[in-house]
Amino acid sequence: MPKERVVLITGSSRGIGAATAIQLASQGVNICVNYRSEHEAAEQIVHRARQYGVNAIAVQADVSQEQEVMRLFATLDNELGPITGLVNNAGILMQQMPVLQMSAARINAVMQTNVTSCFLCCREAIRRMAYSQGGQGGSIVNVSSAASRTGAPFEYVDYAASKGAMDTLTRGLSLEVASEGVRVNGVRPGFIYTDMHASGGEPNRIERLKSAIPMQRGGTAEEVSEAICWLLSDQASYSTGSFIDLAGGR
Ligand code: NAP
């Protein structure tokens, strides 16, 4: 019998995280839906997931805070059993502006939410999954961005830099745990239709920019979750420290 799969998806009350949670559930994976504030939306995802017959829980936790990450993993341990996969998806961006105008408070908030959270969740997952820690192995997927390559000038270089840090973490950590049964990979979505663009002050950003995308359109959350689910799965068993770009050719 294959072992039960248990996957934590951070920030899965909506957008790419929610699509990933539903797709995993449809594959028979037990899921932990983490969210920061959208309780009702998270419960809806859990409700939809359970219709596939899997165990699913929603856990509120701000993953930028170490104590909340510890509580999140302890809850998952108790309610779902040993974790086999982690998707570091939670992320934020802020109002579009050039670096010239950015405050330290803003830069730190973006880094803490996008980068520190990823380090902390990776650490807690590896403490449970690595052979040397008594674990059975597992898989981590970090949701980076095409912005790590483009730099997102005049919009959010802080966000782009946080995704660059995630890429470096993905590469370095993958090498630390390659012989520990844990694979660490990343996806780099481009322009995906979610609520995130509203946080930058431009909900219709993709419409403005899509003529510059070789495929001439934005992508869907499901087109990203397909790649995340593949990297998480045993089908990707020889892939670690690598990235899938999902940016319509950009
Ligand atoms: P979204 O629709 O804005 O959703 C963000 C999710 O993250 C929500 O579930 C939110 O929870 C959660 N979240 C935010 N801060 C959190 C925190 N401190 N602790 C726990 N959860 C937190 O975003 P999305 O577009 O799906 O993006 C998901 C990931 O893909 C992000 O890492 C983003 O950088 C990346 N990405 C997106 C695009 C794009 O075009 N959309 C492109 C490239 C990369 P609540 O709603 O409950 O607060």
Side-chain angles (χ1 to χ4, degrees):
M1 277 281 284
K3 68 180 175 188
E4 287 259 294
R5 292 176 66 195
V6 173
V7 174
L8 165 63
I9 312 103
T10 67
S12 48
S13 55
R14 53 199 168 91
I16 293 167
T20 303
I22 294 299
Q23 192 174 333
L24 287 169
S26 77
Q27 297 171 355
V29 180
N30 301 320
I31 56 163
C32 178
V33 174
N34 158 251
Y35 65 101
R36 182 186 47 185
S37 53
E38 298 286 330
H39 174 75
E40 276 308 311
E43 288 297 343
Q44 276 295 322
I45 299 302
V46 164
H47 177 72
R48 286 174 59 195
R50 286 182 181 152
Q51 291 175 337
Y52 291 102
V54 301
N55 288 336
I57 57 170
V59 181
Q60 190 284 330
D62 178 346
V63 289
S64 70
Q65 303 299 317
E66 186 168 21
Q67 288 312 311
E68 301 208 15
V69 170
M70 303 300 278
R71 175 175 56 76
L72 168 63
F73 275 79
T75 307
L76 185 152
D77 292 340
N78 289 335
E79 298 192 24
L80 292 179
I83 187 171
T84 64
L86 165 68
V87 182
N88 281 305
N89 169 78
I92 57 166
L93 52 74
M94 295 190 183
Q95 185 67 36
Q96 295 173 359
M97 64 176 66
V99 173
L100 202 58
Q101 292 172 8
M102 285 180 190
S103 68
R106 167 190 163 125
I107 296 163
N108 289 339
V110 169
M111 293 297 171
Q112 191 162 350
T113 302
N114 296 1
V115 184
T116 306
S117 69
C118 188
F119 271 91
L120 294 172
C121 290
C122 284
R123 184 192 73 193
E124 290 310 305
I126 286 163
R127 283 178 175 170
R128 289 158 172 82
M129 298 192 304
Y131 295 152
S132 63
Q133 309 293 307
Q136 306 252 307
S139 178
I140 296 173
V141 177
N142 293 328
V143 183
S144 173
S145 171
S148 73
R149 291 183 280 110
T150 66
F154 305 106
E155 291 188 328
Y156 14 72
V157 174
D158 52 349
Y159 170 82
S162 77
K163 296 301 184 178
M166 280 182 87
D167 288 356
T168 306
L169 165 60
T170 300
R171 186 76 193 133
L173 182 63
S174 74
L175 299 175
E176 285 192 357
V177 297
S179 62
E180 292 271 6
V182 183
R183 297 182 299 103
V184 187
N185 291 287
V187 295
R188 286 190 290 231
F191 300 89
I192 309 301
Y193 289 104
T194 71
D195 297 342
M196 178 169 254
H197 308 284
S199 313
E202 191 183 8
N204 296 321
R205 176 170 171 262
I206 298 177
E207 295 313 306
R208 173 172 62 86
L209 296 170
K210 72 180 182 187
S211 62
I213 302 169
M215 289 178 112
Q216 301 284 299
R217 67 170 179 89
T220 65
E222 289 72 21
E223 288 176 307
V224 180
S225 67
E226 287 285 349
I228 296 172
C229 292
W230 180 77
L231 284 170
L232 274 180
S233 76
D234 286 345
Q235 272 69 48
S237 53
Y238 203 49
S239 172
T240 198
S242 70
F243 301 89
I244 298 180
D245 290 307
L246 303 145
R250 238 170 96 102

